[in-house]
Amino acid sequence: QKEVEQNSGPLSVPEGAIASLNCTYSDRGSQSFFWYRQYSGKSPELIMFIYSNGDKEDGRFTAQLNKASQYVSLLIRDSQPSDSATYLCAVNAGTGGGNKLTFGTGTQLKVEL
Amino acid sequence: DTEVTQTPKHLVMGMTNKKSLKCEQHMGHRAMYWYKQKAKKPPELMFVYSYEKLSINESVPSRFSPECPNSSLLNLHLHALQPEDSALYLCASSQDAGFGNTIYFGEGSWLTVV
């Protein structure tokens, strides 16, 4: 059973702080990793993807991947109230059968004024 | 704004009704997907179409019937649904169905079965 695990939260951070969202996965063959943001009542919106070990930065967002530890994280700098949402980690194991994502259950982030 | 467009945004149907959800993408993608998402749960894959052919069916009940008329359009035909089928139905697309391609979601269709 391929699993992707996230802390459901809520994770509360003050405005302007760094929010750190974490995700672990069970399948060592996993090759590509995605972070989606989902506002309540809306569809998932792609934030970032990462394929290689290390950090990848895009504006206020940084994705970090450590395949040896089977761990991927998302850092949000200068958190804003508009960042309050559920963040879904998704993993593509690449074990055949096409482009299938396994999602974690999501972490709810609350950015407080 | 997403370039994957879904209609209708909201649908209420009875258990004996036949209805369809529609999806269109304008990104030239050759893979399209249907996902189902229940409240406070992650999206679950239902079907994958690759180059207009069904490539993955995740053991979805036959009361859900997908159709891909062309590379831009994807339909989900609904018949004899149950109240537990009430959920957010998400259409998505990617450049192709090859491993690792980024998947982009539409805004979803909220389905309520009464």
Side-chain angles (χ1 to χ4, degrees), chain A residues 42-63:
Chain A
K42 301 294 186 181
S43 65
E45 172 192 9
L46 180 70
I47 297 296
M48 291 194 71
F49 60 86
I50 186 167
Y51 299 149
S52 303
N53 276 330
D55 295 359
K56 179 181 179 182
E57 187 174 320
D58 183 2
R60 295 188 296 115
F61 299 97
T62 298

Side-chain angles (χ1 to χ4, degrees), chain B residues 3-102:
Chain B
E3 294 184 66
V4 180
T5 305
Q6 292 187 241
T7 56
K9 295 286 189 288
H10 298 272
L11 176 64
V12 179
M13 63 184 290
M15 289 188 284
T16 58
N17 291 160
K18 285 185 181 181
K19 298 285 185 183
S20 297
L21 305 180
K22 298 185 183 299
C23 174
E24 185 171 11
Q25 57 91 9
H26 303 282
M27 295 181 280
H29 288 172
R30 302 311 301 268
M32 296 186 76
Y33 309 75
W34 281 113
Y35 281 80
K36 173 183 177 179
Q37 188 176 23
K38 302 279 281 184
K40 299 192 183 300
K41 298 289 187 183
E44 296 178 351
L45 182 65
M46 301 175 72
F47 302 104
V48 181
Y49 272 83
S50 176
Y51 290 86
E52 301 153 52
K53 287 184 167 46
L54 182 65
S55 63
I56 296 176
N57 177 342
E58 291 287 272
S59 302
V60 178
S62 59
R63 57 186 184 269
F64 295 92
S65 176
E67 177 197 18
C68 189
N70 61 52
S71 61
S72 300
L73 295 174
L74 185 66
N75 299 322
L76 186 63
H77 302 299
L78 313 170
H79 174 54
L81 296 192
Q82 302 297 310
E84 58 264 29
D85 295 320
S86 298
L88 176 66
Y89 288 83
L90 296 161
C91 176
S93 70
S94 63
Q95 188 169 356
D96 60 48
F99 162 71
N101 273 274
T102 302

Side-chain angles (χ1 to χ4, degrees), chain A residues 42-105:
Chain A
K42 301 294 186 181
S43 65
E45 172 192 9
L46 180 70
I47 297 296
M48 291 194 71
F49 60 86
I50 186 167
Y51 299 149
S52 303
N53 276 330
D55 295 359
K56 179 181 179 182
E57 187 174 320
D58 183 2
R60 295 188 296 115
F61 299 97
T62 298
Q64 299 175 317
L65 175 60
N66 184 326
K67 289 186 179 180
S69 300
Q70 295 176 240
Y71 176 90
V72 58
S73 65
L74 179 69
L75 301 179
I76 306 174
R77 288 181 299 281
D78 188 24
S79 296
Q80 301 297 310
S82 59
D83 294 326
S84 298
T86 295
Y87 289 79
L88 296 164
C89 173
V91 175
N92 191 320
T95 53
N99 198 17
K100 294 173 63 172
L101 291 180
T102 299
F103 284 87
T105 52

